[in-house]
Every structure is written in structure tokens, then in C-alpha cells.
């Protein structure tokens, strides 16, 4: 199939491009490089020994986006679009909500317009576990109602899910797959691509990686008084390569009109301190930490029941926490581009 990977130079988009190419699909990436580097595209080519067409385009620029569809549809139209492009920093979204609504919603709406104009009927969208808020029942299934969302970033995810549902309701040919990611971490085993946050990382594993590399003195553990195994927050960490393969599996719904929702996680919950311990094991480095106050908006425990994806897509995560931490550390040693 010919797939448009929007946000393909980013963390999850680059790993997904690799898995798509490995599965024999043709990939065209669009990215404005607002949170990624052009070099990633070369590294995707290096890993796969395959070519990738790349357009440096801001998807909010409708004309430029439609030009890409115009050029590409002259050879073969896209069979599906995987929409990763968007801003994703939760804390920043509280400070700059309008920029988040503008970029995340406008880019998605432009993609929908292009789909209509160029008869592409399939979209896979990067949603997030954040749409569940603080669910009453754990593990969380797709049948669980959406909850109270704690950030403008999370709101954009929920709003886009609604937009895509309305889009599907308006056109009996459209297939929209909403993939709700839990906590993607790790990196490709080659160490050539991985997660490269700009500035101070917000998320746990990128922060731990900085401590392991001596870039930061210690980790702040946000709260140790949760009702969990050791008092620290519990999450469903998933290896980014497993997550990427989940997208390849979801492509099988490309010609099944309707809204399809899947949790992509391992179904296992690990605490902050368990992740710290594992990172220490794989890196051989000590990760000093200090317990500080809870972070506003955090929930105690969030992990999923991934059985719907297993039953319907034939996909399940294969890699464990040790693989995730090992590959994250390997990327710090070999591939990291941001300092
Ligand atoms: P990322 O920032 O690494 O990748 C997003 C890419 O989109 C970047 O390369 C960025 O340059 C590009 N982009 C942003 N706005 C654009 C625009 N207007 N036009 C063109 N390109 C644009 O993020 P990621 O971690 O790979 O996440 C991918 C998607 O998955 C995001 O939508 C994110 O919200 C979602 N998601 C991520 C996580 C996570 O933990 N990483 C969890 C849940 C959901
Ligand atoms: C966060 C976002 C979520 C988003 C996801 C992926 C919030 C409230 N949630 O999820 O919306 O989809 O990232 O981008 O921001 N922790 C520390 N110290 C740190 C960093 C994190 O103790 O320096 C703890 C947190 O309290 C949490 C766990 O580590 O218990 C995981 O945190 P994080 O990696 O930020 O992911 P989430 O909060 O689950």
C-alpha cells in the first residue's frame, strides 16, 4: 500500500515508517520539522535500505498539503494516512492552549479535506490514553467512557476523535482508526532513531535517560503516596517498535468503513521506581532521585486491557520493560541528535 505518514520524522512516526517499509509498503513522509530533524529521514533509509519520499511541509498550510496530494496522486493515490503530526507537550499546552488547538486541529482538518478531495478513505490517528482521564476501572478497555481530561493537549486528542467520528458518519466510505497509546518509550534496536526531546524532558524515561547520561543531576519522582505497590505512579509502558507494528496491523482496517478504537499498550503496569531500577540495571549507572510533590493532573494508575487489539488486529506487544530501557539507553549512546 502507499501510505502518507504525517509527522513521519518524529519519534513514533519514524519508527512506524521503518515498520511500514519493512512490511513492504511505500511511505511518503510529511513533516515541518518543528520537533524533529531531517537527518531522521536518512536514518530511516539506512535502517531499511529503502527509499522514502519526504516533504518539508506544514500541514496547517492547506495549499502546500494539497500540492503534495496533487503531486503524489499523479503516480498512485494514498491508500491510507497515518496522522502523527501535532504538538504533544502536556505542560506547554497549558501555557499555549491556542497554539495547541490551532496546530493539532487545523492540521487534522486539512488532512480530512485532502482525503475528501483525493479519494483517500482511510486514516489512522495517534490518540492517547489521556482521553480516559482517571478511569474507575483498571485495566481500562475501549468500552470505558472518556473521562475528565487534564490538559489542552488531551482535549485536542478527544476533539479530534470526535471530528473523525463525525467525518465517518458523513461518508460511508471512510475508515478511521483511533489508536490510544499508553506510554511509548524505547528506541529502534539499531540505536539510529529514538526520542529526542528539545530542552528539559517532561516524560519519565527521557528524563531518566538524561540523568543516566550525566546531563541532569537527579530525577524528581512526582509523589510517593499514591495507592500503588510502592507509592509511585503506575503506567503501561510500551516499546515504540511494538507500537509502530500496531499501526501496520491497523492498516488491515483500511477498507472497513467506520470508527475503530484500540488501546495500544502491554497491559502491564510498572511504577516509577521500577522503571528507575530497570534503567540502572541496563545502563550500569546509578539514577539518583528525590521524591517531590505530586504533579498536577497525574493519576495513580493507568494501564490497559489490550485484548481487543489482539483479537481483532492480531497484534500484541512483544517487548518487555528491560528491552525498552536497554534500547532507550543504546540510543543515548549511539544515535541522539539533540545534544
Ligand atoms: P513527535 O513530536 O516526535 O512527532 C510529531 C511530528 O509532527 C514531529 O516530527 C513534528 O515536527 C511534526 N509536526 C508537528 N506539527 C506539524 C505540522 N503542523 N505540520 C507538519 N508536521 C508537524 O511526537 P511523537 O511522540 O512521535 O507523537 C506522535 C503523535 O502521537 C502525536 O500526535 C502525539 O500527540 C501522539 N502521542 C504521543 C505519545 C507519546 O508519549 N509520545 C503518547 C500518546 C499520543
Ligand atoms: C503524559 C501525559 C499524557 C501524554 C503522555 C505522553 C500528563 C499528566 N500526562 O503521560 O497526557 O499522553 O505523557 O506524552 O502529563 N514522572 C516522574 N518524574 C518525571 C516525569 C514523570 O515521577 O520527571 C512520573 C509521573 O508522575 C507518572 C510517570 O512518571 O507517574 C509517567 O509520567 P510521564 O512519562 O510524564 O507520562 P504520563 O504522565 O503517564
Amino acid at each position: 500500500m502507499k501510505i502518507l505518514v504525517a509527522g513521519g520524522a518524529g519519534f513514533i512516526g519514524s519508527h512506524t515508517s521503518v515498520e511500514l517499509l519493512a512490511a513492504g509498503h511505500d511511505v511518503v513522509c510529511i513533516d515541518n520539522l518543528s520537533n524533529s530533524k531531517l537527518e531522521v529521514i536518512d536514518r530511516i533509509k539506512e535502517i531499511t535500505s529503502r527509499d522514502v519520499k519526504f516533504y518539508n511541509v506544514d500541514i496547517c498550510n492547506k495549499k502546500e498539503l494539497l500540492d503534495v496530494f496533487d503531486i503524489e496522486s499523479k503516480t498512485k493515490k494514498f491508500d491510507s494516512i497515518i496522522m502523527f503530526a501535532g504538538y504533544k507537550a502536556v505542560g506547554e499546552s497549558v501555557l499555549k492552549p491556542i497554539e495547541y488547538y490551532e496546530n493539532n486541529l487545523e492540521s487534522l482538518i486539512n488532512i480530512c479535506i485532502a482525503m475528501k478531495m483525493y479519494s483517500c478513505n482511510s486514516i489512522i490517528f495517534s490518540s492517547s490514553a489521556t482521553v480516559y482521564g482517571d478511569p474507575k476501572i483498571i485495566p481500562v478497555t475501549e468500552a470505558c467512557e472518556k473521562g475528565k481530561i487534564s490538559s489542552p493537549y488531551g482535549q485536542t486528542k478527544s476533539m479530534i476523535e470526535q471530528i473523525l467520528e463525525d467525518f465517518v458518519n458523513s461518508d460511508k466510505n471512510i475508515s478511521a482508526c483511533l489508536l490510544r497509546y499508553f506510554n511509548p518509550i524505547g528506541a529502534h534496536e539499531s540505536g539510529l532513531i529514538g526520542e529526542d526531546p528539545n530542552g528539559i524532558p517532561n516524560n519519565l524515561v527521557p528524563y531518566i535517560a538524561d540523568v543516566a547520561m550525566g546531563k541532569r543531576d537527579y530525577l524528581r519522582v512526582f509523589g510517593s503516596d499514591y495507592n500503588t505497590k510502592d507509592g509511585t505512579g503506575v503506567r503501561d509502558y510500551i516499546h515504540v517498535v511494538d507500537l509502530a507494528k500496531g499501526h501496520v496491523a491497523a492498516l488491515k482496517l483500511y477498507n472497513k468503513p467506520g470508527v475503530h478504537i484500540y488501546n495500544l499498550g502491554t497491559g502491564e503496569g510498572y511504577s516509577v521506581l521500577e522503571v528507575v531500577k530497570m534503567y540502572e540495571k541496563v545502563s550500569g549507572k546509578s539514577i539518583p532521585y528525590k521524591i517531590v510533590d505530586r504533579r498536577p493532573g497525574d493519576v495513580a494508575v493507568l494501564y490497559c486491557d489490550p485484548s481487543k487489539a489482539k483479537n481483532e488486529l492480531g497484534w500484541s506487544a512483544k517487548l518487555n520493560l528491560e528491552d525498552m530501557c536497554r534500547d532507550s539507553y543504546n540510543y543515548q549512546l549511539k544515535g541522539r541528535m539533540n545534544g
Side-chain angles (χ1 to χ4, degrees):
M1 283 196 261
K2 179 171 174 176
I3 314 296
L4 177 67
V5 182
F11 174 44
I12 306 171
S14 57
H15 288 82
T16 302
S17 296
V18 165
E19 297 307 322
L20 289 167
L21 291 160
H25 299 295
D26 292 323
V27 170
V28 175
C29 285
I30 302 192
D31 202 300
N32 66 355
L33 305 177
S34 57
N35 196 35
S36 51
K37 299 215 164 23
L38 185 57
E39 204 178 334
V40 170
I41 302 296
D42 291 330
R43 294 189 178 189
I44 295 171
K45 293 179 189 168
E46 189 181 336
I47 293 168
T48 59
S49 303
R50 290 207 45 204
D51 199 21
V52 177
K53 204 143 174 205
F54 176 71
Y55 291 91
N56 183 345
V57 161
D58 183 340
I59 298 168
C60 291
N61 184 326
K62 189 157 80 182
K63 186 187 171 308
E64 286 191 13
L65 178 70
L66 293 178
D67 284 348
V68 172
F69 274 77
D70 209 44
I71 296 165
E72 288 299 324
S73 62
K74 290 202 166 79
T75 47
K76 183 180 186 296
K77 74 181 181 80
F78 294 118
D79 295 296
S80 185
I81 296 171
I82 311 187
M83 179 54 175
F84 295 105
Y87 295 153
K88 64 162 184 178
V90 173
E92 186 182 62
S93 79
V94 176
L95 301 172
K96 299 180 176 173
I98 303 309
E99 285 88 335
Y100 270 67
Y101 287 118
E102 181 183 38
N103 191 49
N104 293 6
L105 299 182
E106 201 174 336
S107 57
L108 182 277
I109 289 168
N110 284 345
I111 289 281
C112 294
I113 290 169
M115 286 173 68
K116 270 281 203 208
M117 286 178 66
Y118 290 89
S119 310
C120 171
N121 291 327
S122 160
I123 180 165
I124 296 175
F125 173 64
S126 304
S127 190
S128 166
T130 197
V131 301
Y132 291 115
D134 192 357
K136 288 186 193 71
I137 299 169
I138 293 286
V140 65
T141 69
E142 294 81 353
C144 180
E145 297 271 304
K146 287 198 217 173
K148 189 174 176 302
I149 296 169
S150 61
S151 70
Y153 159 77
Q155 294 290 359
T156 68
K157 293 294 169 196
S158 183
M159 288 176 184
I160 290 172
E161 288 197 352
Q162 184 62 55
I163 292 170
L164 289 174
E165 218 173 299
D166 295 340
F167 189 35
V168 165
N169 288 337
S170 74
D171 184 334
K172 62 176 178 16
N173 296 311
I174 305 282
S175 163
C177 205
L178 313 179
L179 301 182
R180 293 176 176 165
Y181 310 157
F182 280 66
N183 291 61
I185 59 169
H188 191 264
E189 61 174 0
S190 64
L192 289 173
I193 53 173
E195 190 169 13
D196 249 322
N198 289 320
I200 302 172
N202 301 295
N203 296 115
L204 179 66
V205 170
Y207 203 102
I208 292 178
D210 273 7
V211 176
M213 297 305 285
K215 289 183 199 149
R216 302 187 198 281
D217 294 338
Y218 61 89
L219 170 76
R220 289 170 307 152
V221 174
F222 297 137
S224 62
D225 56 352
Y226 287 109
N227 185 17
T228 59
K229 40 190 152 186
D230 58 21
T232 66
V234 168
R235 294 290 183 276
D236 188 336
Y237 297 95
I238 174 169
H239 197 296
V240 65
V241 171
D242 274 332
L243 185 73
K245 289 180 176 165
H247 295 74
V248 180
L251 275 180
K252 74 178 192 197
L253 300 173
Y254 89 107
N255 58 0
K256 302 250 178 333
V259 177
H260 313 283
I261 303 179
Y262 295 99
N263 287 337
L264 295 188
T266 64
E268 296 243 7
Y270 288 99
S271 74
V272 174
L273 295 182
E274 285 174 327
V275 178
V276 168
K277 208 175 266 173
M278 184 58 82
Y279 217 96
E280 287 184 323
K281 180 180 163 191
V282 301
S283 66
K285 302 266 180 71
S286 141
I287 311 287
Y289 66 84
K290 288 185 189 167
I291 307 283
V292 300
D293 286 348
R294 292 179 177 196
R295 181 172 66 178
D298 274 354
V299 299
V301 180
L302 192 56
Y303 59 90
C304 76
D305 175 346
S307 53
K308 186 176 177 216
K310 184 169 187 191
N311 296 337
E312 296 181 11
L313 301 177
W315 169 90
S316 59
K318 300 280 182 283
L319 300 167
N320 61 26
L321 186 66
E322 183 161 0
D323 301 318
M324 302 178 211
C325 293
R326 185 200 57 231
D327 291 340
S328 160
Y329 186 59
N330 184 41
Y331 178 67
Q332 310 309 313
L333 299 177
K334 289 197 189 145
R336 190 110 188 228
M337 296 175 215
N338 265 338

